[in-house]
Amino acid sequence: MKKILMAVVAAFAFAAAAFAQEVDLTDASKTIKFPEEFNLGKWYDAKWDAYWEFESDNISLYKGDSKIVSFSGKIKNWNMSVSTRGLEISFDCDATSRSYKVTKPIASSSDLELEVERHDVPSTDKNKKWKTTILRQQ
């Protein structure tokens, strides 16, 4: 019970920090800037055998040691909010033709939920939308 309470308190702290920092990222020329309290690092995406790296001013996607995409300056519709599911970050990227949502669930785990919607394939494509858990790396 204490862990759940601490997770809820942490989620509200993240939300307060996110809303206190006024950053307009709807313009793709802007850079990503996370609050200092945001948990930065790397997460493994087993679905695509790739790594997501959240830095203080960027989000990058790696396949092995090769950087596939750096989202800095390529995002629009940036949104950071808190819901009953946890802390949610969502954004669109025209360069990848995708919309992304990353959720830190209210739980003691440091894993994240990743939802992706592709805009470059028909709605019948099995990879049009997917959801997966990405695992925190040491």
Side-chain angles (χ1 to χ4, degrees), residues 8 20 51 56 84-85 98 113 136:
V8 170
Y51 291 90
S56 63
T84 56
R85 294 180 56 214
R98 290 166 173 77
E113 293 176 4
R136 173 75 176 183

Side-chain angles (χ1 to χ4, degrees), residues 4-138:
I4 292 173
L5 180 60
M6 291 306 293
V8 170
V9 170
F12 283 115
F14 286 138
F19 291 119
Q21 180 176 353
E22 295 182 24
V23 178
D24 178 13
L25 293 176
T26 57
D27 180 357
S29 65
K30 302 285 183 183
T31 59
I32 298 166
K33 185 68 177 170
F34 286 109
E36 289 181 22
E37 296 84 359
F38 191 82
N39 194 9
L40 305 175
K42 280 190 175 182
W43 281 261
Y44 179 66
D45 181 348
K47 179 170 177 60
W48 300 106
D49 189 29
Y51 291 90
W52 290 85
E53 183 174 25
F54 294 86
E55 301 170 287
S56 63
D57 61 352
N58 194 15
I59 300 171
S60 299
L61 180 60
Y62 292 86
K63 184 78 170 172
D65 290 334
S66 300
K67 188 182 286 190
I68 303 300
V69 65
S70 168
F71 289 98
S72 184
K74 298 177 184 172
I75 62 169
K76 64 181 187 178
N77 303 323
W78 174 268
N79 187 32
M80 188 179 298
S81 63
V82 175
S83 75
T84 56
R85 294 180 56 214
L87 178 65
E88 296 180 344
I89 298 166
S90 61
F91 61 95
D92 301 323
C93 179
D94 290 339
T96 61
S97 299
R98 290 166 173 77
S99 295
Y100 301 89
K101 182 191 275 186
V102 179
T103 303
K104 169 56 179 110
I106 299 175
S108 59
S109 171
S110 59
D111 298 339
L112 304 174
E113 293 176 4
L114 171 67
E115 296 177 55
V116 179
E117 180 178 356
R118 293 182 62 181
H119 304 293
D120 61 343
V121 297
S123 59
T124 55
D125 189 301
K126 67 177 182 157
N127 287 318
K128 173 76 174 169
K129 293 182 182 180
W130 71 84
K131 183 177 178 180
T132 189
T133 299
I134 54 178
L135 308 174
R136 173 75 176 183
Q137 301 301 292
Q138 298 297 342

